[in-house]
Amino acid sequence: MRNSENVLNSLAGHSQDPNYKFERLYRLLFNENLYALAYQNIASNPGNCTKGADGQSIDGMSVKRIHRLIDRLKDESYKPCPAKRVHIPKKNGKMRPIGIPAFDDKLVQEVLKMILESIYEGYFEKCSHGFRPHRSCHTALASISDGFGGMRWFIEGDIKGFFDNIDHEVMIGILKERIKDERFIRLIRKFLKAGYLEQWKFHRTFCGTPQGGVLSPILANIYLDKLDKYMVEYIASFDKGKARKRNPEYKRVASRKDKRVKKLKNETDWQKKAALRQEIAKLHREMQKYPATLDMDEDFRRMRYVRYADDFLIGVIGSREDCVKAKEDIKDFLLDKLKLQLSDEKTLITNGHDKAKFLGYEITIRKSEKTRRDSRGVPIRSLGHVPVLLLPYEVMRDKLIGYKAMKIVKYKGKEKWESTSRSFMRSNDDLEILTRYNSEIRGIYNYYCLANNVNILHDFYYIMKESMYKTFSSKYESTVRKIIRKYTKDKIFRVQFEDSKGRMHERTLYHGGFKWKPEARIDDAHLLPSYRGTQSTSLMARLKACECEYCGATENLKMVHVRKLKDLKGLKEWERFMIARKRKTLAVCEKCYRKIHGKK
């Protein structure tokens, strides 16, 4: 049986060849090693402990369970269960439907995802950043910082109900362009047509792919790769001219300066040389008053495009009419070729000096006449027309209100932010309270560290710190001043705690500041995924060891999974055993498995 590393790397070797047809993929689903890797990849997700529509979860995973799956796939009797549908709130107040597949379906989907990723990752365009190895929101934002200089307009693109409106026949047609294996295609069709359960009522799916499914992100990227390739061709035909025309005023002064520079080279009299240098410096300062090129040049156009999932941003150097036409062309392409609609509510044309929204940031083009000195000390105009990423104040406000760490009061007719105690945390211990505040502070900083104005997070930090003080004072029915005096040392808030071995430790409130970190982006986005070392599947190795980790019996094993170790109270012997091993998993025999779950 081929190991998973060789299988996936063999597929990836043909990924960049657009004319290569992939055949006999279905038989790869009979490879046990791929399931071992898939199990290892998804086992750490706490959501796998939630039971699917078939009443099963990741708990009780075994080698036999994988063999049964493979047998059903071999005779094509395998049929995915409908996903359980739940709704979660979106930022705009609406609800987002999420599908929760059965765990066996998740396992098969993870294997399919690895195969499809190997096939398509080298084929995708560089402008796509969502749900891809080595890529993230930060790489998408970094590409804007690096490539959107001088843009005059933005087109903020959003596809209306994308995941719910993927056309199944279009999706299958796109897959067939590269995959020549009917059984493999039929299996993907089964997942698309599996349906969903909402309040235990079955609904058939005629279009769309469930958000929350393991397979959905890679299928979405395969679908929208058609848009990416259309945009690459569109940009190639849109771009015009090699460079902007020179500004006549700038050109006039530069010409006078060049003449003085030539004269200086041939001059021998030191007094005349000094006078020429002063005149050259004066002319250089005058040059800096004018832009080197014309802002509006009809013979020069440029377009840039970046996409993350179903959100995309287009930068345009050109006229507003160019943007209107591009928007209509993209709208027509999506409707005709992919049967999708642009959201009129969210697809906006924005002036480059206003603020466009993308991935929670505000994007604008800096307008500045200031100069800075280069490495030679010469003043240059390089601060204008530069993309700027901004953290919106509304984000901080909404986060603080969502965390219930702040309330807004009116003071002299103005809005004032006031920190509040989080009463729901009173029952938590000191370490849990501090850890939660730290994770919330670090979370927003880690995401917005690319923002040029990230230093405004000091306001967020001040409110969160005051809220934490009030939460502690509410917990101990004390005053904020006494809490600060009790927990603060060297001006840093600290909480001491004891570990399981009786040793004392200390954890501090985050105090690392909020510096701009342009280097936080991922710089290996150009790399293809590597499958080296994929044979390190410790979970499956423990199951195949056939030795119960609890009682030592030698027989076929099942894996016990718990959502979180801290949920175990240590009241039972097996709980104390897992806590001591610091593992959320335990490979046990059938007898121990029944004992743990109270089954006779």
Side-chain angles (χ1 to χ4, degrees), residues 40-50 58 103 106 212 214 561-563 584:
Q40 189 76 30
N41 288 345
I42 64 178
S44 60
N45 186 351
N48 290 324
C49 291
T50 302
I58 191 173
F103 180 74
K106 284 184 183 179
V214 177
H561 286 260
V562 296
R563 192 179 296 270
K584 297 191 295 181

Side-chain angles (χ1 to χ4, degrees), residues 65-286:
R65 192 167 168 182
I66 290 176
H67 289 165
R68 285 197 297 269
L69 261 179
I70 292 174
D71 290 340
R72 288 162 60 200
L73 285 163
K74 282 181 178 178
D75 60 16
E76 294 193 62
S77 63
Y78 173 78
K79 185 179 179 181
C81 294
K84 284 203 312 188
R85 174 164 284 192
V86 295
H87 296 268
I88 60 172
K90 296 168 70 174
K91 290 182 180 179
N92 59 7
K94 297 179 182 179
M95 302 299 287
R96 185 191 304 277
I98 298 293
I100 303 175
F103 180 74
D104 283 358
D105 296 338
K106 284 184 183 179
L107 197 63
V108 177
Q109 285 187 47
E110 178 67 19
V111 175
L112 289 171
K113 176 200 162 195
M114 292 189 297
I115 293 171
L116 290 172
E117 191 177 85
S118 303
I119 292 172
Y120 282 95
E121 187 57 37
Y123 181 69
F124 288 150
E125 298 295 331
K126 294 180 180 179
C127 51
S128 166
H129 294 265
F131 314 120
R132 292 182 61 188
H134 307 306
R135 290 172 180 258
S136 65
C137 294
H138 279 184
T139 60
L141 293 161
S143 70
I144 293 172
S145 293
D146 296 339
F148 277 54
M151 294 296 155
R152 298 296 183 260
W153 299 93
F154 293 119
I155 304 174
E156 306 170 46
D158 184 271
I159 299 170
K160 189 174 183 180
F162 168 64
F163 283 94
D164 293 332
N165 291 300
I166 290 177
D167 187 274
H168 291 172
E169 296 309 314
V170 174
M171 180 81 254
I172 294 300
I174 293 171
L175 289 169
K176 284 183 175 181
E177 290 177 8
R178 300 209 77 197
I179 297 172
K180 195 176 179 181
D181 186 332
E182 284 301 320
R183 291 199 296 172
F184 190 85
I185 296 293
R186 277 201 300 271
L187 179 60
I188 292 179
R189 191 189 289 275
K190 284 182 180 179
F191 278 108
L192 292 173
K193 299 290 186 183
Y196 63 92
L197 290 177
E198 189 166 11
Q199 296 181 346
W200 297 108
K201 184 179 179 181
F202 176 73
H203 299 266
R204 295 183 65 184
T205 47
F206 300 97
C207 63
T209 177
Q211 297 183 61
V214 177
L215 200 55
S216 296
I218 183 68
L219 290 179
N221 272 336
I222 293 169
Y223 202 82
L224 285 182
D225 182 63
K226 288 292 183 182
L227 172 62
D228 298 339
K229 285 180 167 46
Y230 171 76
M231 287 305 303
V232 169
E233 293 176 3
Y234 193 91
I235 290 169
S237 62
F238 179 88
D239 288 357
K240 181 181 178 182
K242 291 184 178 180
R244 284 193 181 97
K245 291 178 182 176
R246 280 294 184 102
N247 184 347
E249 291 296 323
Y250 181 91
K251 190 176 180 180
R252 178 182 58 81
V253 180
S255 178
R256 289 172 58 194
K257 178 190 168 187
D258 290 342
K259 289 178 182 178
R260 301 301 185 276
V261 170
K262 287 180 181 179
K263 191 174 180 180
L264 177 65
K265 290 179 180 179
N266 299 323
E267 187 59 62
T268 56
D269 186 272
W270 67 270
Q271 289 182 335
K272 290 183 179 179
K273 273 190 171 184
L276 283 169
R277 287 194 183 97
Q278 287 182 357
E279 190 175 357
I280 289 168
K282 182 180 178 182
L283 288 169
H284 185 82
R285 285 194 296 272
E286 188 178 349

Side-chain angles (χ1 to χ4, degrees), residues 235-243 297-303:
I235 290 169
S237 62
F238 179 88
D239 288 357
K240 181 181 178 182
K242 291 184 178 180
D297 182 358
E298 294 180 357
D299 296 325
F300 181 83
R301 298 191 310 186
R302 287 291 185 272
M303 183 180 284

Side-chain angles (χ1 to χ4, degrees), residues 330-342:
I330 294 167
K331 185 176 182 179
D332 292 343
F333 172 82
L334 288 172
L335 191 61
D336 296 342
K337 302 296 183 181
L338 300 179
K339 298 185 180 180
L340 296 172
Q341 286 185 326
L342 275 183

